[in-house]
Amino acid sequence: MNFEEFKKCGLRRSLDILSGKWKPLILHRLFEEKEVRFVELWRKMPRVSKKVLSEQLKQLEEDDIIQRIEVYNFPPEVYYRLTEKGYKLGPILDTLHAWGNDL
């Protein structure tokens, strides 16, 4: 496989999207709760800074895995939920979870 083929490789793209210390935990939380406010998500994540969490969420949003919803109340609220593309990760993450438990 040459470099151009490698850049287009589905496995490589998939791993690029899921790579990041907090992305699997973010996705796990969204599969459990369907829609989560930023602050709630931050409080449930162990030892992650708001900046890093925000960056990981932005990357998942850019990859169309999650959707960011702004509600203009006072104070403003930001929610996150999975997109249709994000929901397709469910069986894959379940398989990875089972595989990890078998190690």
Side-chain angles (χ1 to χ4, degrees):
M1 176 182 301
N2 66 36
F3 184 69
E4 288 304 314
E5 290 171 334
F6 178 70
K7 285 186 355 183
K8 295 177 185 177
C9 175
L11 179 60
R12 181 188 162 275
R13 272 206 26 80
S14 299
L15 292 174
D16 283 348
I17 289 170
L18 293 174
S19 69
K21 182 175 182 178
W22 303 105
K23 287 180 184 178
L25 292 173
I26 292 167
L27 293 171
H28 176 74
R29 184 68 57 201
L30 288 172
F31 273 104
E32 281 186 345
E33 299 185 31
K34 307 298 181 217
E35 188 173 271
V36 180
R37 286 182 55 203
F38 177 86
V39 173
E40 294 169 359
L41 188 59
W42 177 70
R43 287 181 184 148
K44 293 179 181 180
M45 305 290 285
R47 299 172 310 211
V48 63
S49 71
K50 287 183 179 179
K51 179 183 182 246
V52 170
L53 178 59
S54 183
E55 288 170 356
Q56 299 267 289
L57 288 165
K58 186 175 181 177
Q59 290 170 7
L60 287 167
E61 184 183 5
E62 288 171 354
D63 289 326
D64 193 32
I65 303 299
I66 63 171
Q67 178 184 13
R68 183 179 193 269
I69 300 132
E70 295 181 40
V71 179
Y72 297 100
N73 294 336
F74 185 80
E77 298 175 344
V78 176
Y79 292 86
Y80 291 92
R81 72 174 111 178
L82 293 165
T83 62
E84 186 176 326
K85 187 175 173 182
Y87 275 108
K88 290 180 181 178
L89 281 169
I92 297 163
L93 294 175
D94 287 343
T95 301
L96 282 171
H97 178 79
W99 179 75
N101 284 334
D102 288 343
L103 295 178

